[in-house]
Amino acid sequence: MMGFVIRRLLAAIPTLLAVLTLVFIIVRIVPGDPAMVILGDQATPEAAAALRSRLGIDVPIWTQYLRFVGAALTGDFGASMVTSRPILAEVGAVLPHTVDLTLAAMLVGVAVGVPVGIWAALHRNGAIDVAARLLSLIGLSFPVFVSGIFLLLAFALHWRIFPVIGAADLSDIPDRLYKLVLPALTLGLVMAAYITRVTRSAMLASLSEDYIRTARAKGVPWRRVVWVHGLRNASLPIVTVVGLYVGILIGNSVLTEIVFNRPGLGKVIVGALNQRDYTMLQGLMVIYCFLIVVVNLVTDLLYGVLDPRVKT
Amino acid sequence: MGALARARQNPTTTAGAVITLLIVAAAVLAPFLAPYDPTEQDIMSRLQGPSAEFWLGTDQFGRDILSRLMFGAQISLTVSLGAIACAIVIGGVIGMVSGYVGGRFDLIVMQMMDVLLSFPSLILGLIVVALLGPDLINLVIAIALTAIAPFARIARAPTLVLKERAFVEAGHALGYSHTRILFRHILPNILSELLVMGSLWMATAVRTEASLSFIGLGVKPPTPTWGGMTRDGFENILDAPWLAIFPGVAILLLVLGLNMVGDGLRDATDPKLRHE
C-alpha cells in the first residue's frame, strides 16, 4: 500500500508543474501592458513602472516564470494587489464557510443520490425508476443559481422557514448549521442528480454479475446482497463521479455563495474580478487547481482501497 | 434499425427535441414575433406583473420580459453553438492526431489535456472572460476552452483502434497522405460519436454561458441574456419575483431539452445499450 501511495504522489508532481505553467500562460493572455490596464490610460510612466516592479513583471518572462513556480511550490501564492495581504490569508479567512458548504453538499448528494439510484436500479423500468430518471435529468439540468433562487423564494421568502442571508457566526454552531440548510440543499440536490444516475447504472451492471447469483444461491439475505455485494462493486464508478464532480462543485459553490450572500471563496473570486485584482485571481486559480489535483489523488487512493486489483 | 430511428422512438428524446426546436424557433423568429423592442425602456410600466399587455411582465426599466427572453435565446444559442463547434473541431483534431501519431507525442498531448481538465470549468471560463473582456467572441473562446479536453479524449480512443484496421493499412499501401487517411477515412467513423457528445455538451455550454452572465460576465447590457435577466430579477426579488423566475425557467427548459436529446442520441448510438 505504501509503495502505491508514494507512486501516486510522485505522479502528481508533473501535473502540478503543468497546471502552474498553464495558469502562468492564461494570466498573461491579457492584451497589452497589465500595468496600463490596471492604472488606466492616464497613468504616468513612473506610476506604471512602479506597479510593474510591484507585480514582478519588470523582469524577463523566464525569470517571472521560475519565480512564480518556485513561490507556488513553497506555498507562497503571492499577495492581493488591492489589499496587499497574502492570498493564503485572505483565503484562510473565508475557507471555513466554503468547506462547510462543500462538505454539506457532498453529504446531501451522496445521502440522496446513492439510495435513490439503488432504488431505481431495483425497480428497473418500473414507475419508481422512470420517476427517478426524469427527476435526476431535471436536477442535472438546473443551473445552480436558478435552483438556489427557487429554494430562496419558496423557503425563505414565501414560507419564511430559513433565513435569506447565509452569513453565519462561525462560533455559533446551531446558527451555522441552520443557515447552511438552503445553500447545502441547492448545491447538494444538483449533485444528487448526477450520483443517482451513475449509481443506477453501476448497480444495474453489478447486480447482473455472476457473484450476485452465487450470493443469492448461498442464501445471503437480499438486503445484504444489494448493499454489500452489489454496492461494494458499484462503488468504483460512484467514487469516480464524485471525484470528477468536485470541479463542477467548485464552480457551483461560487454561484450558491452569490445567491445566498454567503462569505466564501466564491465571494473572494467575484470581488477580485470586480477590482481587477489579477494577482488574487492567479493565486485563487492555483489554489483551486491544487485542490483538484489533491482530490484526484484521493480518488486514486480510494480506488486502491475499494478494489485491491488497482494497487498493482 | 438506424440510430436516428431508435432515438425517435424514445418519447424523452422527442420531447427534448420539441422543447429545443421551440426555443430555437423563438430565437430565430424573435425580430418578427417579439411583441416589443427588447431594449426599449418605458418607465411608466416598470415592474408590472404578467398581464394581457405584457404576457410575462416587465422589468425594472419597463422592458417587456417575453421579448427580452426571445432575443436572449439568440445569445444563449449562438454562444453555446459557437463554443461547442470550436471545441469539436479543435478537440477532435487534437485527439485524432494524438491517437494517430501515438507514442511519446500522444502521451504528452494527453497529459496536457488532463491538465486542462483539472481546471474547474466555471472558474476557468470566468477568469478567461474577465481577462479578455466580456463580449460574444470571448465568451465563445472561454466556453470552448473548457470543452476541448473532453472532445480530444472522445476522438482519441476510437482513433487508436481504427488506425490498426485493415482499411487504414490499405490507405498507407496506396500511398495516401496521413492527412487524407485521418480526415477522409478515420474521421467519418468517429464523427457521430463527436456529434452526440456535442449535443450533451451544448447543454453544459448553455448553463455555463448563463452562469457567467449571472455573475456579470456575459454579453454587456442592454443586450438581453438569460443569465443577466435572472440576475436583474434576483436583485428585485422582493418586488417582482417573476423577473427571476421566467428567465430561470427558460434556461432550465433549454438545458433540459438539450440533455434529453443528447441522452436519447447517446443511448441510440451506444451498442452496449442497444438490446436493453
Side-chain angles (χ1 to χ4, degrees):
Chain A
M1 188 70 197
M2 212 45 219
F4 173 69
V5 173
I6 291 170
R7 264 202 314 279
R8 292 293 153 164
L9 281 174
L10 287 178
I13 293 174
T15 318
L16 279 182
L17 277 176
V19 161
L20 285 173
T21 310
L22 196 59
V23 170
F24 183 82
I25 295 170
I26 288 177
V27 173
R28 271 150 194 82
I29 57 176
V30 195
D33 178 356
M36 297 308 278
V37 172
I38 294 161
L39 293 172
D41 296 335
Q42 278 84 40
T44 60
E46 292 77 31
L51 183 62
R52 270 196 289 273
S53 139
R54 217 180 105 209
L55 293 176
I57 52 174
D58 54 342
V59 293
I61 192 106
W62 278 108
T63 320
Q64 289 179 38
Y65 174 69
L66 290 177
R67 268 191 204 165
F68 168 68
V69 172
L73 288 181
T74 53
D76 174 9
F77 299 102
S80 157
M81 264 165 44
V82 175
T83 63
S84 299
R85 289 181 58 199
I87 286 165
L88 268 185
E90 299 265 3
V91 168
V94 294
L95 201 61
H97 298 279
T98 299
V99 170
D100 275 3
L101 178 62
T102 325
L103 288 183
M106 287 179 101
L107 196 69
V108 172
V110 173
V112 175
V114 170
V116 174
I118 294 179
W119 203 27
L122 292 178
H123 297 86
R124 187 180 189 178
N125 293 333
I128 288 169
D129 185 26
V130 172
R133 268 154 67 191
L134 192 64
L135 281 177
S136 66
L137 195 61
I138 294 174
L140 59 89
S141 299
F142 252 111
V144 76
F145 61 93
V146 175
S147 53
I149 288 176
F150 286 2
L151 286 176
L152 193 76
L153 274 171
F155 293 104
L157 295 176
H158 187 71
W159 286 305
R160 298 177 189 274
I161 304 172
F162 291 106
V164 178
I165 289 177
D169 179 4
L170 284 178
S171 55
D172 183 354
I173 301 290
D175 181 56
R176 194 166 158 185
L177 289 176
Y178 176 57
K179 286 179 172 160
L180 191 59
V181 175
L182 276 190
L185 278 180
T186 302
L187 204 52
L189 287 178
V190 176
M191 185 176 180
Y194 282 87
I195 297 183
T196 301
R197 283 192 130 195
V198 66
T199 304
R200 175 184 174 273
S201 61
M203 280 303 278
L204 282 177
S206 109
L207 286 178
S208 62
E209 294 283 350
D210 292 340
Y211 50 74
I212 296 292
R213 197 177 46 207
T214 310
R216 296 193 72 181
K218 277 198 315 185
V220 178
W222 180 231
R223 185 179 289 272
R224 194 175 148 77
V225 170
V226 171
W227 284 91
V228 178
H229 300 248
L231 186 59
R232 173 79 193 250
N233 284 287
S235 57
L236 231 52
I238 300 175
V239 168
T240 309
V241 163
V242 173
L244 283 177
Y245 192 78
V246 170
I248 305 176
L249 196 64
I250 286 174
N252 280 348
S253 69
V254 172
L255 296 165
T256 309
E257 283 170 5
I258 296 176
V259 171
F260 291 96
N261 205 5
R262 272 176 72 87
L265 278 183
K267 287 297 269 300
V268 173
I269 208 168
V270 173
L273 282 175
N274 292 337
Q275 297 175 309
R276 298 182 157 265
D277 189 344
Y278 291 116
T279 51
M280 189 77 180
L281 286 177
Q282 174 174 298
L284 283 171
M285 195 147 60
V286 172
I287 291 171
Y288 275 131
C289 293
F290 272 35
L291 197 72
I292 300 257
V293 172
V294 169
V295 168
N296 287 343
L297 202 67
V298 172
T299 317
D300 264 5
L301 296 179
L302 264 179
Y303 285 170
V305 174
L306 291 169
D307 185 349
R309 284 170 302 184
V310 177
K311 262 184 276 182
T312 49
Chain B
M1 191 164 39
L4 264 182
R6 262 197 311 278
R8 218 176 299 149
Q9 280 189 336
N10 182 342
T12 323
T13 319
T14 316
V18 170
I19 296 174
T20 310
L21 287 177
L22 281 176
I23 295 174
V24 170
V28 172
L29 299 176
F32 310 106
L33 292 184
Y36 297 91
D37 180 336
T39 55
E40 197 185 69
Q41 305 191 1
D42 178 5
I43 298 302
M44 297 306 289
S45 49
R46 61 190 293 271
L47 292 180
Q48 288 189 9
S51 64
E53 195 183 352
F54 303 102
W55 288 4
L56 300 182
T58 60
D59 70 2
Q60 72 275 30
F61 297 112
R63 297 175 298 197
D64 178 50
I65 297 294
L66 178 62
S67 308
R68 288 178 66 72
L69 279 181
M70 292 173 78
F71 280 94
Q74 293 181 342
I75 303 286
S76 284
L77 291 166
T78 317
V79 169
S80 359
L81 205 59
I84 295 309
C86 289
I88 291 181
V89 173
I90 300 171
V93 169
I94 292 177
M96 269 167 53
V97 172
S98 179
Y100 187 75
V101 173
R104 186 157 293 180
F105 177 77
D106 182 38
L107 213 68
I108 293 173
V109 171
M110 282 300 126
Q111 187 74 45
M112 279 163 59
M113 291 297 121
D114 282 350
V115 169
L116 206 51
L117 272 181
S118 71
F119 282 83
S121 58
L122 186 67
I123 307 286
L124 179 63
L126 195 132
I127 287 176
V128 171
V129 176
L131 292 175
L132 292 177
D135 67 29
L136 200 92
I137 301 292
N138 293 341
L139 277 168
V140 170
I141 295 175
I143 297 173
L145 201 59
T146 65
I148 285 175
F151 281 99
R153 280 190 160 185
I154 286 288
R156 173 181 171 266
T159 308
L160 284 176
V161 180
L162 287 166
K163 73 170 181 182
E164 307 294 344
R165 294 268 295 274
F167 70 90
V168 172
E169 213 172 309
H172 287 304
L174 286 167
Y176 291 169
S177 70
H178 293 306
T179 323
R180 174 160 180 180
I181 290 176
L182 265 178
F183 291 98
R184 296 279 296 276
H185 301 276
I186 291 184
L187 181 63
N189 284 291
I190 63 173
L191 196 61
S192 67
E193 214 165 321
L194 283 177
L195 293 179
V196 168
M197 263 279 282
S199 63
L200 281 170
W201 271 85
M202 269 293 287
T204 309
V206 168
R207 203 171 35 207
T208 309
E209 188 275 331
S211 304
L212 289 173
S213 320
F214 181 77
I215 294 175
L217 290 171
V219 175
K220 284 204 188 81
T223 311
T225 61
W226 289 357
M229 290 173 69
T230 313
R231 183 54 181 259
D232 287 348
F234 177 58
E235 270 149 22
N236 292 291
I237 200 158
L238 292 175
D239 306 321
W242 64 87
L243 274 189
I245 293 177
F246 290 131
V249 169
I251 303 165
L252 174 64
L253 280 178
L254 181 55
V255 177
L256 182 63
L258 288 166
N259 268 331
M260 286 159 105
V261 173
D263 261 14
L265 286 178
R266 190 187 46 195
D267 289 355
T269 49
D270 188 346
K272 270 182 292 184
L273 299 169
R274 198 162 288 177
H275 299 293
E276 273 197 17

